[in-house]
Amino acid sequence: MPRSSSAPIFVHSGWRCSSTYVWHRFRAVPTVTAYYEPWHEQLAGLTPERIERERPATSGLRHPNEGLPYLSEFAGLLRPDGGVHGFETRLALDEYFLTADQEDPGQAAYVETLIAAARREGRTPLLACCRTLGRICWLRRRFGGTHIVLIRDPVQQWRSFYSLRKRPRPTYFELCQYVILSEAAGGEAAARRLGLQAGKGDLADRIHATRKRLKRAPARMSFAAFLAVYVLSYVAALPRADLVIDVDRLGGDPEYARTMATAIEVLTGVKLDFADCRTPPPHAGRLPVDYRKEAVAMIEALDLSEVLTAPGPIQTLYRKLLRALPERETVTPWRRLLAFWRGKRLSVAEA
């Protein structure tokens, strides 16, 4: 049965993972208040003028363009001196991996502010963000609701980061991966492998310092950091999701798109239409990155081989990795290594 229309909906994803498209489809429903990136650090200083400036047409991010500013839903929640009521810059990336039992009264009050504002208008609150995969368990425990997780081919997702570079400067998306990994509980070994150290100061200072230090880092390092955050994020998120949407299929398989829309309607009572979704073409050209080698090394550093190959929701991540990182051999080193980690021999037939 559909949930009450007042129950919040959360859409969790990484950057460049079609979350803007999915948010856009929810926003088109008159009974939904769809908040865009409600953990983005720019909300700390948001003004009416900035709301007006921030539009898909001027972003350069290849987002769907409906004419409205991204952040219109926050207009009624601004403080007189600027910024969204209750939002603090630290919420953007600090404690990116937030466990269910951690206490954060400030963050809880902020999320409740958004939910309450939508409910006062008799609408369903929808919070779609690229910074919540690691805190899904915390959000579920405090706010209930429906939690939708988006997942994309990791190589193509990172290639989307890389395609937006202004050489030699890495993208904001790449820099965030370095910051998250350098501070992530459970990611220490991966951070050491890349020589990352937690920064000091506020988020802007840490991003600036990271850009200065790593603006000429090789592509393989950028991918390795991304892959570590990708795996850690989905290990945290997939077991807590009510629905997982493979965005690589959403735009290329009409039947799958209809199935996902039906699942959302059953879970939330909100009827969406994904008929206009189109999967972008793969990024062309070769980059100096051995994706398989970097992925295997990171999974080994994170000691996640048993987690990835165990039955259950994490199999979605495991299959995504296998499809994104194919081998040319019949019995692949990738599969052989994972089989070794699991303590069994892998036959040619099994591969």
Side-chain angles (χ1 to χ4, degrees):
M1 294 293 294
R3 296 179 184 271
S4 165
S5 62
S6 67
I9 305 168
F10 297 87
V11 176
H12 310 273
S13 77
W15 287 273
R16 312 305 293 167
C17 197
S18 298
S19 61
T20 299
Y21 170 77
V22 174
W23 163 79
H24 167 75
R25 298 314 304 146
F26 272 104
R27 191 191 213 188
V29 179
T31 58
V32 173
T33 295
Y35 296 106
Y36 182 75
E37 294 293 342
W39 277 266
H40 196 299
E41 60 267 25
Q42 70 177 322
L43 298 181
L46 193 64
T47 62
E49 293 74 22
R50 185 158 188 176
I51 289 175
E52 185 61 27
R53 288 199 306 269
E54 297 286 338
R55 294 172 175 270
T58 58
S59 71
L61 295 175
R62 303 188 287 268
H63 287 162
N65 182 13
E66 62 177 12
L68 293 174
Y70 289 110
L71 304 172
S72 294
E73 286 75 9
F74 295 97
L77 298 172
L78 298 181
R79 298 186 296 261
D81 58 344
V84 176
H85 275 287
F87 185 81
E88 306 169 57
T89 303
R90 68 174 182 87
L91 301 183
L93 293 185
D94 292 10
E95 303 290 352
Y96 174 89
F97 293 101
L98 194 62
T99 63
D101 58 354
Q102 285 181 257
E103 294 299 329
D104 191 334
Q107 185 163 192
Y110 166 66
V111 176
E112 184 57 41
T113 295
L114 301 183
I115 292 173
R119 285 173 172 166
R120 284 196 297 271
E121 300 294 325
R123 296 184 175 189
T124 300
L126 179 284
L127 289 76
C129 198
C130 298
R131 298 161 175 81
T132 55
L133 285 168
R135 49 189 124 190
I136 182 173
C137 194
W138 185 87
L139 289 164
R140 174 180 282 286
R141 179 174 178 181
R142 281 153 183 79
F143 302 102
T146 298
H147 295 261
I148 300 169
V149 168
L150 311 182
I151 191 168
R152 183 183 182 186
D153 174 312
V155 172
Q156 289 303 312
Q157 187 175 340
W158 175 78
R159 287 292 301 263
S160 184
F161 288 18
Y162 200 82
S163 72
L164 296 170
R165 275 191 169 207
K166 295 181 179 179
R167 297 180 183 276
R169 292 163 64 91
T171 60
Y172 167 83
F173 310 112
E174 292 174 86
L175 295 170
C176 285
Q177 309 308 299
Y178 293 132
V179 171
I180 292 169
L181 185 58
S182 69
E183 301 172 2
E188 295 87 353
R192 284 197 300 272
R193 179 174 177 266
L194 298 179
L196 301 177
Q197 295 182 342
K200 297 180 180 179
D202 64 19
L203 181 58
D205 291 336
R206 279 143 50 207
I207 289 178
H208 176 75
T210 300
R211 177 182 287 114
K212 185 176 180 180
R213 186 170 68 253
L214 297 174
K215 65 181 180 181
R216 298 186 187 277
R220 63 171 180 78
M221 182 172 176
S222 172
F223 176 74
F226 161 79
L227 197 284
V229 174
Y230 177 94
V231 171
L232 288 168
S233 296
Y234 284 109
V235 165
L238 290 172
R240 283 90 183 180
D242 295 296
L243 180 67
V244 179
I245 299 179
D246 183 339
V247 299
D248 297 307
R249 293 184 64 189
L250 194 66
D253 183 340
E255 183 59 33
Y256 180 78
R258 287 190 291 270
T259 298
M260 293 298 99
T262 298
I264 289 171
E265 185 175 7
V266 169
L267 286 166
T268 70
V270 177
K271 188 172 183 177
L272 300 185
D273 183 0
F274 293 133
D276 64 345
C277 185
R278 297 292 181 269
T279 301
H283 290 276
R286 296 177 63 86
L287 293 174
V289 180
D290 187 331
Y291 300 111
R292 293 185 298 272
K293 178 180 177 182
E294 296 299 336
V296 170
M298 268 303 173
I299 290 167
E300 186 174 31
L302 293 167
D303 194 24
L304 286 176
S305 57
E306 290 187 9
V307 172
L308 283 176
T309 53
I314 302 300
Q315 281 291 298
T316 299
L317 172 59
Y318 178 53
R319 290 192 295 268
K320 244 340 179 189
L321 291 169
L322 290 181
R323 285 196 295 268
L325 305 163
E327 287 279 4
R328 292 176 292 276
E329 299 178 27
T330 305
V331 181
T332 69
W334 168 259
R335 297 288 297 277
R336 187 185 297 120
L337 181 55
L338 289 176
F340 171 75
W341 280 333
R342 296 177 71 182
K344 72 172 188 176
R345 299 182 68 84
L346 185 67
S347 70
V348 173
E350 287 178 305

